[in-house]
Amino acid sequence: MTIEFQATAAASGANATERFRENKKAAASSSQERVSQLASRLIKAINDTVLEEKVTYDEYNALKAWLIQVGEDGEWPLFLDVWVEHSVEQVANEYREGTKGSIEGPYYVPDSPQLDSPATLPMRDNEQGTPLLFQGNITNLAGEKLPGASVEIWHADDEGFYSQFAPGLPEWNLRATVIADADGRYEINTMQPAPYQIPTDGSCGKLIAAAGWHAWRPAHLHLKISAPGYHLITSQLYFKGDSHVGDDIASAVKPELILDPTPRADGAGREVSYDFVLDPA
Ligand code: DHB
Ligand code: FE
């Protein structure tokens, strides 16, 4: 691993903490009963682990030191989004009959530039990687097209880096809000993202190394699909054949969310179609 990559990974954690605070997602309040119920269960789960595994003072102190360090590294957003968010997403989207959801992850930024379909995502003149034409329809459960639906898309570049979190990338690189056409069709030209390794140089990386796990997420596109009168869905799409599609560290892959792009007839990279189905609000 190069020094440059290490610097980038550390910065990503701190930036994710800053962004989470700015987005003020933690504003909702819960009743005393609910706080007591959830806190009691979490504390009990920890105590049960200590008792059943006969945790030693050395192990307890190692945990204490590690928890302190996660905060100092700004890696709580990373830790939670990798190891916990998938269950929250499962609960939140249980009711849906349309497109499956997946985790948002720590690298979403609201208010990306709005583009009409067919669109090319903002990218550098020399953006590396395989061009990808990503297209399809947005409909409701009855199969009716939803004109004016929007596709918010953000993803890593060919090196696995996200704009606004890794330094040196243009502000909105590989991020946009694409408005579907009058037939509810979207067409997006982008670059295939690379598999993504969660930062390995901070506390989450230390845990992964100490446990002998790996740090990889399969390559993925992040998406938020919405239309007036329908529930917004936050999801991700993956790529068939990716070596990490079967062992995502964030447990966020679902079989319905795997793309199988084919080479384009004109030789300009690959193309794939995916139709989104929205649940009524
Ligand atoms: C993390 C990064 C991602 O791109 C993602 O989708 C989920 C989690 C992370 O580093 O925690
Ligand atoms: Fe991601």
Side-chain angles (χ1 to χ4, degrees):
M1 186 190 302
T2 63
I3 297 297
E4 192 185 331
F5 178 80
Q6 289 188 16
T8 299
S12 295
N15 284 349
T17 295
E18 274 306 300
R19 288 305 173 128
F20 179 76
R21 286 196 174 127
E22 278 169 22
N23 289 343
K24 296 192 174 59
K25 281 191 184 159
S29 70
S30 300
S31 69
Q32 198 176 60
E33 289 73 19
R34 183 74 172 159
V35 172
S36 177
Q37 166 78 359
L38 297 183
S40 299
R41 282 206 60 173
L42 278 168
I43 291 167
K44 183 174 186 309
I46 296 171
N47 280 278
D48 286 349
T49 306
V50 170
L51 296 172
E52 287 163 24
E53 299 288 343
K54 298 193 185 302
V55 169
T56 66
Y57 259 102
D58 278 352
E59 289 167 336
Y60 173 68
N61 286 327
L63 172 67
K64 220 171 177 176
W66 182 79
L67 289 171
I68 291 166
Q69 195 61 43
V70 176
E72 286 182 0
D73 292 346
E75 286 202 347
W76 279 118
L78 275 56
F79 175 87
L80 290 165
D81 293 350
V82 164
W83 283 297
V84 182
E85 191 190 349
H86 64 94
S87 295
V88 181
E89 186 279 321
Q90 184 183 325
V91 172
N93 288 321
E94 239 162 19
Y95 72 93
R96 284 183 193 265
E97 293 174 40
T99 300
K100 300 279 181 199
S102 187
I103 66 173
E104 178 177 296
Y107 300 145
Y108 171 64
V109 183
D111 305 319
S112 58
Q114 195 167 305
L115 305 172
D116 285 329
S117 176
T120 297
L121 296 192
M123 65 177 83
R124 293 161 287 184
D125 290 340
N126 62 345
E127 193 70 45
Q128 299 298 299
T130 306
L132 177 71
L133 170 59
F134 169 54
Q135 60 189 343
N137 301 302
I138 303 162
T139 70
N140 61 17
L141 293 172
E144 292 161 346
K145 48 197 177 191
L146 300 178
S150 83
V151 178
E152 255 184 293
I153 179 168
W154 71 103
H155 65 82
D157 66 13
D158 189 49
E159 290 186 282
F161 294 134
Y162 285 86
S163 58
Q164 300 192 41
F165 293 89
L169 293 168
E171 188 178 17
W172 296 105
N173 214 55
L174 302 175
R175 294 175 183 272
T177 302
V178 177
I179 307 301
D181 68 17
D183 291 325
R185 270 194 68 74
Y186 70 92
E187 208 178 299
I188 297 170
N189 287 284
T190 187
M191 286 289 175
Q192 168 107 23
Y196 168 84
Q197 190 168 206
I198 75 157
T200 52
D201 55 319
S203 338
C204 290
K206 281 214 181 83
L207 170 61
I208 288 165
W213 301 338
H214 73 75
W216 292 95
R217 296 216 61 222
H220 54 277
L221 303 173
H222 287 275
L223 299 145
K224 284 181 186 282
I225 315 295
S226 59
Y230 293 85
H231 277 303
L232 178 151
I233 181 82
T234 300
S235 196
Q236 297 188 21
L237 291 170
Y238 305 91
F239 298 91
K240 192 176 169 185
D242 187 310
S243 52
H244 293 289
V245 110
D247 68 347
D248 177 12
I249 189 171
S251 310
V253 178
K254 299 179 186 181
E256 299 87 345
L257 300 177
I258 300 175
L259 301 173
D260 189 9
T262 52
R264 293 187 66 170
D266 61 6
R270 306 204 295 166
E271 64 187 350
V272 69
S273 289
Y274 193 86
D275 295 338
F276 294 101
V277 180
L278 297 183
D279 283 79

